[in-house]
C-alpha cells in the first residue's frame, strides 16, 4: 500500500529484511533480529532516504528488549493466541509482552505532524485482548472487524472502526467492500484464506493511520501477491493442490486447515502434514493434534525442528490430541519421522486430484534443526521433488 502511494519502504520480517530494493538474510528461525542488527538495518534505510520502516515485532523481541530505541508511530496487532508459553510462562505474560509495542506509542519520541496510532482487532476479544489493548493510550485507535457493524463512527473520540461486508472467498482470491468513516471501497486480493480479510483490514488500518488515499490502498492490496511460505501454492503439471504454510500454532493451523477445506469440492479431502518444534511450547502439541483431527481428513505427523528432544516423544504428544478427536493410527493419521518421506507419502500415496495437501509449520524456512545443527531444508523443494516422482 505504501509503495502504491509512492513512498519508499524498508521492512524487517520473519522472511528477511528488505532495504533499498535488496533482500537481506536475517538468519535461521529469526523474526526479530537482535537490537544492534535492527539499528544497523534502520541506519541503512535512513541512509538511503527510506520514508517508512515496517517491522514485524515479536513477543520475544519485545520482552528481550531487541526493539528498544525504536520510535514506533503505528502499532498493529493481528491476534494474541496460545504461543511461546515456553518463554513467557503464561498467556497473560505473552499478552503483556505484545502490549509493550502499544505502550511505546506514548513514551517514544514524537515526530512532527505524526500521530501515534494503534490498530486493533475487534474479532480477537475472546480473552479480552481488544479491551486490554484498547485501554492503552494512543492519539488515534483504528479498530477493524470482519463482522457487520451499524455505525463506523465511534462515540469515543479519536476512535475509528473499519469493517468488511459482502466477503467473497474463492481459490482465486478475496473480494469485499471496506466500510469506514471515510467512505466505502471495493477491495480485491489474490490472497486466499478468509483470515486474510483480517490481515488486509489491519494493513488498511495502518494506511489510514497515515491517511493514505483510497486509490493507493485498493491498488496496494491488489498488487500484493502471496508471501513465501504463507498459503503458497506449489504449481505442478499433475494438477494436485499442494500448499505450504507457516502455520505452527493451534490458531494458525486451524485457520490453514479451514481454508484448505474451503478449497476442496464435496468429494475432496484435506491432508495435513506437520509436526511441532522441540524445546518450544509443549502445551500446544496435543491441542494441534486435536485441531488436525477435527479439521483434516488425514494427518501425517513428522519432524519440525526437533532439536535435542526425541522426535518420537514430540509426535506421541501430538497423537494424544488426534486420539481425543477420535482418530486412529495408520487409518486417519500416520507417523513418518522423515519429513521428505512424509511429504512424498502425502502426495504420491494419498492425494487425489480433488484433495488439498497442506504442508504446515516450516513455511519460508530454509533449514531444519536436529540436535544443535541446522540442516538445509525446504518444504517447497521437497514438494516439487515428490510431485516430479509421480509424473
Amino acid at each position: 500500500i505504501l509503495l502504491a502511494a509512492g513512498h519508499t519502504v524498508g521492512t524487517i520480517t520473519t522472511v528477511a529484511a528488505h532495504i533499498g530494493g535488496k533482500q537481506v538474510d536475517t538468519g535461521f528461525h529469526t523474526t526479530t533480529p537482535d537490537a544492534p542488527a535492527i539499528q544497523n538495518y534502520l541506519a541503512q534505510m535512513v541512509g538511503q532516504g527510506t520514508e517508512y520502516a515496517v517491522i514485524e515485532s515479536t513477543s520475544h523481541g519485545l520482552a528481550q528488549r531487541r526493539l528498544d530505541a525504536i520510535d514506533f508511530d503505528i502499532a498493529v496487532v493481528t491476534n494474541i493466541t496460545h504461543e511461546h508459553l515456553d518463554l513467557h510462562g503464561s498467556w497473560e505474560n505473552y499478552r503483556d509482552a505484545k502490549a509493550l509495542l502499544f505502550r511505546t506509542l506514548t513514551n517514544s519520541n514524537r515526530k512532527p505532524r505524526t500521530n501515534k496510532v494503534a490498530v486493533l482487532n475487534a474479532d480477537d476479544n475472546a480473552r479480552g485482548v481488544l479491551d486490554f489493548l484498547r485501554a492503552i493510550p494512543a492519539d488515534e485507535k483504528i479498530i477493524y472487524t470482519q463482522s457487520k457493524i451499524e455505525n463506523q463512527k465511534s462515540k469515543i473520540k479519536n476512535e475509528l472502526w473499519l469493517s468488511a461486508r459482502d466477503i467473497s472467498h474463492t481459490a482465486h482470491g478475496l473480494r469485499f467492500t471496506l466500510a469506514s468513516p471515510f467512505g466505502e471501497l471495493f477491495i480485491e486480493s489474490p490472497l486466499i484464506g478468509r483470515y486474510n480479510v483480517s490481515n488486509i483490514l489491519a494493513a488498511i488500518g495502518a494506511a489510514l493511520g497515515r491517511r493514505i488515499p483510497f486509490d493507493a490502498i485498493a491498488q496496494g492490496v491488489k498488487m500484493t501477491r502471496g508471501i513465501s511460505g504463507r498459503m503458497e501454492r506449489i504449481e505442478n503439471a499433475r494438477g494436485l493442490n499442494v500448499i505450504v504454510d507457516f502455520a505452527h500454532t493451534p490458531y494458525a493451523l486451524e485457520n490453514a486447515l479451514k481454508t484448505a477445506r474451503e478449497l476442496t469440492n464435496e468429494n475432496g479431502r484435506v491432508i495435513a502434514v506437520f509436526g511441532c518444534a522441540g524445546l518450544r511450547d509443549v502445551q500446544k502439541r496435543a491441542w494441534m493434534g486435536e485441531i488436525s483431527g477435527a479439521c483434516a481428513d488425514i494427518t501425517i505427523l513428522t519432524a519440525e525442528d526437533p532439536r535435542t528432544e526425541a522426535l518420537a516423544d514430540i509426535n506421541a504428544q501430538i497423537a494424544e490430541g488426534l486420539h481425543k478427536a477420535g482418530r486412529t493410527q495408520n487409518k486417519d493419521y500416520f507417523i513418518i519421522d522423515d519429513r521428505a518421506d512424509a511429504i512424498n507419502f502425502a502426495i504420491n500415496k494419498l492425494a487425489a486430484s480433488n484433495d488439498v495437501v497442506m504442508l504446515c509449520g516450516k513455511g519460508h524456512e530454509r533449514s531444519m534443526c536436529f540436535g544443535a545443527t541446522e540442516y538445509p531444508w525446504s518444504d517447497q523443494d521437497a514438494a516439487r521433488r515428490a510431485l516430479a516422482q509421480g509424473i
Side-chain angles (χ1 to χ4, degrees):
I1 292 171
L2 292 168
L3 290 170
H7 297 291
T8 52
V9 185
T11 64
I12 304 171
T13 75
T14 302
V15 178
H18 287 85
I19 305 169
K22 295 181 179 180
Q23 180 169 305
V24 180
D25 185 6
T26 57
F28 294 129
H29 309 291
T30 301
T31 301
T32 304
D34 290 334
I38 290 179
Q39 295 299 327
N40 188 331
Y41 297 145
L42 291 174
Q44 292 180 51
M45 293 180 197
V46 170
Q48 295 187 19
T50 304
E51 296 172 277
Y52 285 92
V54 181
I55 304 172
E56 188 171 359
S57 307
T58 63
S59 62
H60 283 64
L62 290 159
Q64 296 172 354
R65 307 193 67 173
R66 299 183 219 160
L67 293 154
D68 280 12
I70 299 177
D71 298 320
F72 287 104
D73 302 300
I74 298 177
V76 184
V77 67
T78 51
N79 54 66
I80 302 178
T81 58
H82 184 101
E83 176 63 333
H84 301 308
L85 302 196
D86 54 300
L87 172 75
H88 299 294
S90 70
W91 179 85
E92 288 75 17
N93 290 342
Y94 175 46
R95 175 204 62 191
D96 292 347
K98 291 274 191 178
L100 291 172
L101 176 65
F102 293 85
R103 299 192 191 283
T104 64
L105 294 176
T106 55
N107 57 30
S108 61
N109 180 60
R110 284 188 166 274
K111 296 154 196 171
R113 302 175 301 282
T114 303
N115 276 345
K116 300 287 189 175
V117 181
V119 181
L120 309 175
N121 183 2
D123 300 328
D124 184 30
N125 203 33
R127 300 181 73 169
V129 172
L130 173 66
D131 296 335
F132 182 81
L133 296 178
R134 199 177 181 185
I136 299 173
D139 296 339
E140 184 173 70
K141 294 168 189 173
I142 298 177
I143 303 173
Y144 62 93
T145 177
Q146 287 197 37
S147 302
K148 181 181 178 181
I149 57 178
E150 295 300 326
N151 190 353
Q152 309 296 136
K153 294 183 179 180
S154 173
K155 295 180 181 179
I156 301 175
K157 185 180 179 182
N158 296 334
E159 186 175 272
L160 310 176
W161 282 73
L162 311 177
S163 64
R165 62 174 177 80
D166 302 327
I167 299 171
S168 170
H169 173 228
T170 70
H172 302 290
L174 296 164
R175 294 182 176 184
F176 64 88
T177 297
L178 168 74
S180 82
F182 305 102
E184 294 190 341
L185 179 66
F186 178 69
I187 295 294
E188 190 173 14
S189 168
L191 300 180
I192 58 175
R194 195 172 293 272
Y195 64 88
N196 270 316
V197 174
S198 290
N199 288 334
I200 292 167
L201 288 172
I204 291 173
L208 290 177
R210 296 301 302 137
R211 300 302 188 262
I212 300 295
F214 264 18
D215 58 348
I217 289 174
Q219 182 186 350
V221 172
K222 190 172 184 178
M223 66 189 275
T224 301
R225 300 297 178 221
I227 297 167
S228 175
R230 305 301 196 276
M231 295 304 293
E232 179 182 356
R233 286 178 174 274
I234 305 300
E235 299 297 331
N236 63 92
R238 293 167 60 182
L240 289 180
N241 297 308
V242 181
I243 298 175
V244 173
D245 193 72
F246 192 42
H248 61 286
T249 68
Y251 182 79
L253 181 65
E254 183 176 10
N255 273 329
L257 296 180
K258 285 182 176 179
T259 296
R261 180 67 65 193
E262 289 188 49
L263 300 179
T264 63
N265 61 30
E266 60 183 21
N267 298 316
R269 300 173 301 170
V270 174
I271 302 169
V273 181
F274 74 97
C276 284
L279 306 183
R280 296 296 185 267
D281 187 358
V282 175
Q283 296 178 34
K284 72 178 182 181
R285 293 174 184 173
W287 187 4
M288 290 178 68
E290 187 174 358
I291 286 170
S292 191
C295 297
D297 297 287
I298 301 175
T299 300
I300 303 173
L301 303 182
T302 189
E304 182 190 312
D305 300 304
R307 299 185 172 89
T308 56
E309 279 197 67
L311 178 56
D313 293 344
I314 296 173
N315 286 335
Q317 290 171 333
I318 304 172
E320 290 176 9
L322 283 156
H323 294 156
K324 188 175 180 180
R327 298 298 183 171
T328 303
Q329 188 171 358
N330 297 328
K331 178 186 175 185
D332 306 307
Y333 82 89
F334 302 83
I335 299 178
I336 302 176
D337 290 349
D338 184 277
R339 195 171 177 99
D341 289 345
I343 292 171
N344 186 66
F345 182 75
I347 290 173
N348 289 317
K349 299 296 184 182
L350 297 178
S353 58
N354 293 328
D355 300 335
V356 175
V357 178
M358 288 292 310
L359 311 179
C360 294
K362 294 299 294 175
H364 64 284
E365 294 183 343
R366 291 296 177 265
S367 73
M368 184 131 56
C369 186
F370 289 88
T373 304
E374 296 283 351
Y375 294 91
W377 177 259
S378 164
D379 269 8
Q380 291 87 339
D381 291 346
R384 292 185 185 104
R385 287 194 296 269
L387 287 160
Q389 286 181 31
I391 295 177

